[in-house]
Amino acid sequence: MTSKLAWQQATQTVMAAGRVLIVTHVKPDGDAIGSMLGLAAALRERGIEVDTAVDGGVPRYLTYLPGAGEVRSALDTGNWDVMISVDASDEPRSGLVGVYGREHSAVVINLDHHPTNTMFGDVQLVAGEAVSSTEVIYDWLVHMQCAISAPVATALLTGLLTDTIGFRTSNVVPRTLEIASVLMQCGAPMYDLIQRTLVSRPYSDLDLWRYALPTMRLNSGIVSVVVSQANLREVGLDESTDGGLVSALIEVDEAQIAIVFKEEPDNTVRLSIRSKPGVDVGTVAFSLGGGGHAQAAGATVPGTLEEVQARVLPLLRAALTQG
Ligand code: 5GP
Ligand code: MN
């Protein structure tokens, strides 16, 4: 829960600011971009000058969001009164734009919903029970008594929908649906957003599955898949994606945990982990230098695919026993 004092501090800080920078996490998802652009649009509507930045820019499927065209994919100029980091549970997570932003901003506001948040920054708007960072922004706008325009509602509902996979995660409560209802009434086109973010994927995603699925294993409740750099090259994808594989894997009835081990070019392995309710993989990811939620987490771990599997699978087995 965010305290009233934190809302007040954050509001005063932003309202007194001439220039605000909003950054979000590397390899951004719908909640990352929805939070950044929803908050940016709301602040701009109130006359505040806002810059937005994320390493690598906005993924193509999210470019329908308001202000996506103005997002900077790298920062090498600028100074700001306030930097707001959204949907990033620690400082490294906001990548190079975060490094530059922290060095060139007087105050840092940390707005997030990950239980593993390290509480960095000068003001923390961190709500571990919120289903998305856009829910935290919604609460902030309500606290500020701001009317919600259709573009802002569209961005906020995008994060709510994508982080709950269409209201299907275990943290969804009646209030989640109430917020979605308000956002629809403010003009967010729910059906359209579902189609864009949840019910469509590029062919290359499935092409990647073709190469990855032969590596699939199911061992005592853990279903795993390995994606190599060679696989990514074969489908012409150098971009860091696992094609949404892990979400499909956790649908396996016999699995309590699903994990994708993805080889990165720099001798590290990227982990994407999901679990069924009752098994906490967020803590495991945090212990490996990453973070996330109990049911969805990730980390990047040094080593080869073989070394990282040998290190991580026992930790997941232990999490299963504890769960
Ligand atoms: P995904 O598997 O979709 O990349 O990530 C699942 C969840 O874990 C998301 O909430 C994401 O923000 C978080 N997460 C993934 N990787 C990392 C990481 O390296 N560090 C931190 N702090 N969180 C991560
Ligand atoms: Mn999120």
Side-chain angles (χ1 to χ4, degrees):
M1 280 287 282
T2 303
S3 71
K4 204 170 165 199
L5 185 67
W7 290 130
Q8 284 168 353
Q9 271 184 322
T11 305
Q12 279 162 13
T13 307
V14 164
M15 289 305 165
R19 287 187 75 187
V20 173
L21 170 68
I22 308 179
V23 300
T24 190
H25 63 78
V26 297
K27 297 170 195 159
D29 54 15
D31 190 32
I33 301 295
S35 296
M36 181 170 73
L37 294 180
L39 182 57
L43 297 181
R44 284 175 183 145
E45 285 168 10
R46 272 139 206 101
I48 298 167
E49 201 180 314
V50 184
D51 289 316
T52 50
V54 59
D55 281 12
V58 176
R60 193 171 324 168
Y61 75 100
L62 293 168
T63 51
Y64 66 88
L65 286 169
E70 285 111 71
V71 174
R72 292 160 70 174
S73 54
L75 290 177
D76 51 15
T77 53
N79 282 287
W80 299 270
D81 301 305
V82 184
M83 176 179 110
I84 309 175
S85 164
V86 296
D87 202 39
S89 60
D90 55 39
E91 289 175 314
R93 190 87 176 122
S94 55
L96 294 175
V97 298
V99 171
Y100 188 92
R102 278 190 297 279
E103 280 171 7
H104 295 82
S105 304
V107 176
V108 173
I109 297 178
N110 167 5
L111 185 153
D112 187 33
H113 74 124
H114 292 97
T116 58
N117 190 286
T118 57
M119 294 308 214
F120 64 91
D122 304 300
V123 183
Q124 293 84 23
L125 302 176
V126 178
E129 73 287 355
V131 299
S132 64
S133 291
T134 61
E135 178 179 336
V136 183
I137 292 168
Y138 173 86
D139 286 342
W140 192 10
L141 296 181
V142 170
H143 173 86
M144 290 195 275
Q145 299 183 315
C146 289
I148 296 176
S149 67
V152 172
T154 298
L156 299 188
L157 187 57
T158 294
L160 207 72
L161 280 170
T162 53
D163 263 24
T164 62
I165 326 171
F167 307 116
R168 287 191 288 153
T169 52
S170 59
N171 53 359
V172 169
V173 292
R175 186 162 183 270
T176 319
L177 300 179
E178 284 161 21
I179 295 173
S181 170
V182 172
L183 295 175
M184 283 180 82
Q185 288 166 48
C186 293
M190 175 130 98
Y191 174 77
D192 196 40
L193 299 180
I194 290 175
Q195 294 306 309
R196 285 177 185 279
T197 60
L198 298 173
V199 196
S200 71
R201 56 172 79 254
Y203 179 75
S204 56
D205 270 14
L206 294 190
D207 217 8
L208 180 61
W209 294 23
R210 186 208 310 278
Y211 289 95
L213 284 178
T215 70
M216 183 167 63
R217 301 278 175 275
L218 175 66
N219 255 320
S220 40
I222 303 176
V223 64
S224 64
V225 152
V226 174
V227 176
S228 67
Q229 281 293 308
N231 294 155
L232 290 168
R233 273 195 300 275
E234 272 157 296
V235 294
L237 275 176
D238 55 355
E239 160 196 352
S240 294
T241 175
D242 70 13
L245 251 174
V246 74
S247 308
L249 294 183
I250 195 59
E251 291 175 4
V252 169
D253 285 336
E254 294 84 350
Q256 294 301 310
I257 295 179
I259 180 163
V260 173
F261 295 91
K262 189 162 116 341
E263 185 182 34
E264 298 285 341
D266 59 353
N267 197 36
T268 61
V269 175
R270 163 104 209 118
L271 310 178
S272 241
I273 322 173
R274 299 291 182 269
S275 65
K276 303 265 168 75
V279 181
D280 176 8
V281 291
T283 309
V284 176
F286 188 69
S287 76
L288 291 163
H293 308 275
Q295 262 71 70
T300 301
V301 180
T304 63
L305 278 169
E306 289 69 31
E307 288 163 356
V308 173
Q309 288 179 79
R311 181 175 165 201
V312 172
L313 287 169
L315 299 177
L316 294 178
R317 279 195 281 275
L320 260 185
T321 326
Q322 280 156 22

